[in-house]
Amino acid sequence: MRVVVNRELCVGHGLCEAAAPELFEVGDDGIARVLRPGVPDESAAATAVADCPARALRIETRDGR
């Protein structure tokens, strides 16, 4: 399982970083980036995805869904 940021949709609200600081960081360009290739805490990742007002985040399983 991994989290993907759609850079075209992200506007840098930072709610993902607040929900899962071990997983996300909003860069100087105002776009979120994933800090780890895997998801260390499914619950925090799911909260970050749900909290994103731009719907720029998604969780993918190993089969790409």
Side-chain angles (χ1 to χ4, degrees), residues 12-20 26 47-48 51-53 57:
H13 286 286
L15 297 177
C16 57
E17 188 175 17
V26 176
T47 298
D51 286 353
C52 180
L57 305 174

Side-chain angles (χ1 to χ4, degrees), residues 60-65:
E60 289 185 350
T61 59
R62 291 179 189 244
D63 62 6
R65 290 188 282 154

Side-chain angles (χ1 to χ4, degrees), residues 18-41:
E22 72 284 356
L23 188 57
F24 297 98
E25 176 181 77
V26 176
D28 292 337
D29 60 357
I31 304 296
R33 67 182 183 100
V34 179
L35 298 174
R36 298 176 170 210
V39 176
D41 181 351

